[in-house]
């Protein structure tokens, strides 16, 4: 495994995303949030050394993910590269920024109010650890896809056990607060 404890990182994020419908909401909308963020970087013309800013974003995420899990990090780097490349092309279109802002806001609203509010019944993890949540969200949804496709069954089961215990502890704390 990688230099960063992937199981603990995923367990943190998994506590807030145990509901299958919330997971699907995130699988759809987290990549859109990341991609629209890359479009914002492109529209702001943040480039250095002749390289578009979205490629730097992709590189930072790739490095972090490779440190967590080299195989998954390298695999996901292809998706990050596609996001960077398409964000560069999209940013050149008329009204790109307005469209990206609309998609970005819509994606956040669906995640927070539908995913967490309706399905999960729990506030998003970004309220507890903003940076960790922003960095982990794309990795987590990619791992959810890996698990849903039947790969890494042992890791999935181990993670579910950890998450289940953390959720049980959270519910106990919530019950104490209510009493």
């Amino acid at each position: 495994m990688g230099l960063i404890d992937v199981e603990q990182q995923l367990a943190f994020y998994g506590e807030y995303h145990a509901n299958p419908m919330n997971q699907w909401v995130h699988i759809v909308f987290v990549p859109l949030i990341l991609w629209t963020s890359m479009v914002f970087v492109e529209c702001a013309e943040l480039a250095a050394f002749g390289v578009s800013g979205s490629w730097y974003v992709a590189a930072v995420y790739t490095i972090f993910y490779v440190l967590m899990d080299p195989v998954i990090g390298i695999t996901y780097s292809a998706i990050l590269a596609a996001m960077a490349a398409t964000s560069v092309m999209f940013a050149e279109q008329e009204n790109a920024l307005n469209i990206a802002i609309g998609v970005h806001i819509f994606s956040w609203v669906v995640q927070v109010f539908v995913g967490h509010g309706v399905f999960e019944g729990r506030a998003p993890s970004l309220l507890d650890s903003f940076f960790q949540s922003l960095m982990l969200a794309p990795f987590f949804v990619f791992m959810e896809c890996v698990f849903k496709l039947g790969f890494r069954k042992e890791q999935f089961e181990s993670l579910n056990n950890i998450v289940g215990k953390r959720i049980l502890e959270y519910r106990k704390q919530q019950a104490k607060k209510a009493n």
Side-chain angles (χ1 to χ4, degrees), residues 6-29:
V6 69
E7 191 168 83
Q8 289 304 312
Q9 297 295 318
L10 290 176
F12 162 78
Y13 200 81
E15 291 180 63
Y16 297 85
H17 304 90
N19 179 281
M21 290 302 296
N22 189 29
Q23 291 170 359
W24 281 110
V25 165
H26 282 68
I27 286 169
V28 171
F29 292 102

Side-chain angles (χ1 to χ4, degrees), residues 18 22 46 51 57 62 64-65 80 82 90 124 144 153 156:
N22 189 29
L46 300 175
V51 177
V57 173
T62 296
F64 185 65
Y65 295 165
L80 289 165
F90 184 79
E144 281 298 325
K153 291 178 184 179
F156 177 69

Side-chain angles (χ1 to χ4, degrees), residues 1 11 32 45 56 68-69 84 116 119 121 129 131 147-148 162 176-177:
M1 284 299 177
L32 283 173
E45 297 180 8
Y56 289 107
M68 286 196 335
D69 185 308
H116 287 283
F119 296 125
S129 179
F131 177 76
F147 295 148
K148 287 178 188 313
I162 294 168
K176 283 182 183 178
K177 288 180 185 178

Side-chain angles (χ1 to χ4, degrees), residues 7 10-11 140 147 154-164:
E7 191 168 83
L10 290 176
F140 180 81
F147 295 148
E154 288 180 19
Q155 184 179 20
F156 177 69
E157 290 170 6
S158 173
L159 186 60
N160 271 345
N161 287 333
I162 294 168
V163 168

